[in-house]
Amino acid sequence: MQATMSEKPTHLMQRRRGDAGFFLVMGGLSSCFVVLIVLLLAADFMFTSFSEFRAAIAKPEIQFAFRLTILSCTVAAILSVWVATPLGYLLARYKFPGRWVVDTLVDIPIVLPPLVLGISLLILFHLPIGENEWRLENWIQDTLGFKGVTYRWPAVVLAQFSVACAFAVRTMRVTFEQIDPRAEDVARTLGCTRGQAFLQVALPQSWRGIIAAGTIAWARALGEFGPILVFAGATRMRTEVLSTTVFLELNIGQLDAAVAISLLMVMMAVSVLLLLRLLGTGLTSATGLTS
């Protein structure tokens, strides 16, 4: 009996040593990336001072870029949620012909190189297509009376929407997959149409996912650069957003201003991530925000 009792503490100590080694190895490997992010942020904060940051933010061009960024990201996020909600619902609930094709097409903007997406938008709207040299830009001007899209602020919104919507669709699809469809089936047996079941049962339950999709789309639009540079340009006081501001400031040798704008974008991104954490939806890992 005494031998058995003495063996128990020994066994527990061996198991604890094994657990300590496991967490040491796993934590050491995991900390590599975390430490890298911390060092990157620390380097940015140590490079500039508060006075330099305030001086950069006070520039009229940067203030314009900040306002346009907030406006364009918000419009792109709203449009993304507006499209992603029905598309995510269809992909999550129904198996229709060509579903795998639609699912693949939705993910293309996520894996496509940004410059390729920008060139494709430029070709679609501005360059002549076919033997008759048809241009979508000219059709928009003649039919809708709109002054144009390319190299104007609508091009910024469209470039951001093209990528942000893909992330919003993934988020909404995960949202509807996590909602039990039995409540909708019961509503339909009680006389509701599919549309009524969606609007009155599924949609109210998905409000957290809608907020998460909009937030993620907004954050993704904030970091968009390649398509905006190619499709909308980086004209100051016209199509300049914060991401292109960093590029312009670096081109003219204003590294202090570029770092200051980078810090501003970091703070905006952190605010968005904190909002996602406060929602507690558990959808962030499924959306591929870091893709």
Side-chain angles (χ1 to χ4, degrees), residues 188-257:
R188 289 178 59 199
T189 60
L190 296 176
C192 288
T193 63
R194 291 186 184 272
Q196 290 173 333
F198 169 72
L199 293 174
Q200 299 177 15
V201 179
L203 196 60
Q205 295 183 69
S206 65
W207 68 271
R208 285 182 179 272
I210 291 174
I211 296 176
T215 307
I216 290 170
W218 197 95
R220 191 62 189 85
L222 173 66
E224 203 56 51
F225 171 72
I228 295 177
L229 184 63
V230 175
F231 185 48
T235 307
R236 298 221 125 156
M237 307 299 289
R238 185 172 179 180
T239 61
E240 181 184 7
V241 291
L242 291 178
S243 57
T244 54
T245 295
V246 176
F247 172 76
L248 292 175
E249 294 295 334
L250 284 175
N251 276 351
I252 61 176
Q254 295 294 326
L255 184 58
D256 293 339

Side-chain angles (χ1 to χ4, degrees), residues 52-53 68 78 110 130 138 145-146 150 189 228 238 290:
E52 292 173 339
F53 176 81
L68 182 58
I78 293 173
I110 297 176
N138 295 340
F146 199 72
T150 311
T189 60
I228 295 177
R238 185 172 179 180
T290 58

Side-chain angles (χ1 to χ4, degrees), residues 24-223:
L24 183 62
V25 172
M26 298 295 285
L29 293 174
S30 304
S31 63
C32 294
F33 181 67
V34 176
V35 171
L36 175 62
I37 299 300
V38 172
L39 290 177
L40 290 174
L41 296 177
D44 286 340
F45 278 102
M46 293 174 63
F47 184 84
T48 187
S49 63
F50 179 74
S51 59
E52 292 173 339
F53 176 81
R54 187 172 58 182
I57 299 300
K59 291 183 178 179
E61 310 89 44
I62 295 179
Q63 290 183 357
F64 174 87
F66 177 78
R67 290 192 297 269
L68 182 58
T69 300
I70 296 295
L71 177 62
S72 61
C73 288
T74 302
V75 174
I78 293 173
L79 292 176
S80 297
V81 172
W82 185 261
V83 173
T85 300
L87 183 52
Y89 180 80
L90 292 176
L91 291 174
R93 286 287 189 268
Y94 302 104
K95 294 183 178 180
F96 51 88
R99 177 176 175 270
W100 68 272
V101 177
V102 175
D103 197 14
T104 303
L105 290 174
V106 167
D107 287 338
I108 286 179
I110 297 176
V111 299
L112 199 65
L115 289 177
V116 174
L117 182 61
I119 292 173
S120 300
L121 286 169
L122 185 64
I123 293 174
L124 175 63
F125 279 84
H126 190 66
L127 298 182
I129 300 176
E131 296 179 356
N132 297 327
E133 296 188 350
W134 180 85
R135 287 181 174 89
L136 180 58
E137 184 98 350
N138 295 340
W139 180 85
I140 292 175
Q141 293 179 11
D142 297 338
T143 306
L144 305 179
F146 199 72
K147 292 183 179 180
V149 176
T150 311
Y151 302 120
R152 296 171 58 87
W153 68 265
V156 176
V157 175
L158 186 57
Q160 293 172 335
F161 167 78
S162 299
V163 179
C165 188
F167 289 88
V169 170
R170 294 179 66 177
T171 305
M172 293 309 302
R173 178 177 178 177
V174 172
T175 298
F176 287 118
E177 285 177 346
Q178 293 178 351
I179 297 175
D180 193 343
R182 286 183 295 180
E184 299 169 57
D185 296 336
V186 171
R188 289 178 59 199
T189 60
L190 296 176
C192 288
T193 63
R194 291 186 184 272
Q196 290 173 333
F198 169 72
L199 293 174
Q200 299 177 15
V201 179
L203 196 60
Q205 295 183 69
S206 65
W207 68 271
R208 285 182 179 272
I210 291 174
I211 296 176
T215 307
I216 290 170
W218 197 95
R220 191 62 189 85
L222 173 66

